[in-house]
Amino acid sequence: MSETVIVEADEAGLCRFRLVTEQNKSLEIAPTKYEDILHIIHSIVNGRRMAIDVKGVKINIEELLMLCKNVSSIWNEYIVFADLLRRGKKPRIDAEQGTLLIEDQRIQVIVLKEDELVSIQALIDAIEKAQRRGYTSIIAVVDIHGDVTYYEASKIVMPKIERKVGNR
């Protein structure tokens, strides 16, 4: 392990991360940069980095999730992010849309929890925005076991068929 992640949480559960390299160089990661947080979580889960609290005590991923509200709120995004990486994709966060993108394939991934209620209109809006940007939409549903199921989503507009009434 070449880097250690020092995790510091405030009273609201907002965590700041500081990466410390073997050369004792320190780099602070802003808590709002989800992409950085996803990469940090991924490196901790895979054992490439070790997480410690400000007292120097090692913490595991479960303790990190309980400590950091800004991490636990994106856990499902992390699950999908990691799954896509395992599948050889190169996902990144689209903070503006609140989705994951696989840019080389022009795919937008909308992450939902299995028990999450979402309006049809919200899904239609997300799909339409993706289509306007030239992306295909995929809905990734994360179940309670952390398994991901992917669904392709699109909006099709059917032209109205006019029927002639009268002579046959």
Side-chain angles (χ1 to χ4, degrees):
M1 236 177 281
S2 62
E3 294 181 337
T4 299
V5 178
I6 300 173
V7 181
E8 182 179 355
D10 64 16
E11 304 81 41
L14 186 63
C15 283
R16 289 199 160 319
F17 301 92
R18 206 168 56 241
L19 299 180
V20 181
T21 64
E22 283 180 345
Q23 296 81 19
N24 280 335
K25 292 182 182 175
S26 182
L27 171 66
E28 187 163 338
I29 302 296
T32 54
K33 291 190 70 176
Y34 282 169
E35 191 150 9
D36 288 339
I37 294 172
L38 290 177
H39 284 286
I40 288 170
I41 294 169
H42 192 64
S43 65
I44 293 169
V45 168
N46 289 326
R48 289 192 316 271
R49 290 185 176 139
M50 177 178 63
I52 61 172
D53 64 16
V54 291
K55 296 176 185 172
V57 177
K58 184 178 177 180
I59 56 176
N60 62 31
I61 197 67
E62 290 82 15
E63 293 165 324
L64 179 70
L65 290 173
M66 291 186 341
L67 184 65
C68 302
K69 301 266 187 288
N70 57 324
V71 173
S72 62
S73 67
I74 63 168
W75 183 246
N76 289 313
E77 284 85 351
Y78 167 71
I79 290 172
V80 174
F81 179 83
D83 186 63
L84 292 170
L85 286 174
R86 269 191 304 278
R87 294 170 184 260
K89 308 296 182 198
K90 297 175 187 168
R92 75 167 191 81
I93 291 284
D94 181 356
E96 183 181 315
Q97 301 298 323
T99 61
L100 294 170
L101 296 178
I102 305 169
E103 290 190 273
D104 59 338
Q105 295 179 337
R106 307 290 295 168
I107 294 174
Q108 169 187 270
V109 181
I110 302 164
V111 179
L112 300 175
K113 289 190 321 189
E114 181 179 47
D115 60 351
E116 180 178 4
L117 294 178
V118 62
S119 74
I120 294 297
Q121 190 58 52
L123 286 176
I124 290 171
D125 291 345
I127 292 165
E128 286 177 342
K129 284 180 187 176
Q131 285 179 331
R132 282 194 300 271
R133 294 169 55 201
Y135 282 80
T136 299
S137 291
I138 301 290
I139 298 173
V141 179
V142 181
D143 69 17
I144 60 171
H145 304 290
D147 295 324
V148 184
T149 305
Y150 296 95
Y151 301 93
E152 185 172 345
S154 61
K155 180 180 175 189
I156 301 171
V157 179
M158 302 292 284
K160 186 172 183 173
I161 300 173
E162 296 198 26
R163 296 180 183 214
K164 295 183 181 183
V165 180
N167 299 348
R168 284 188 164 213

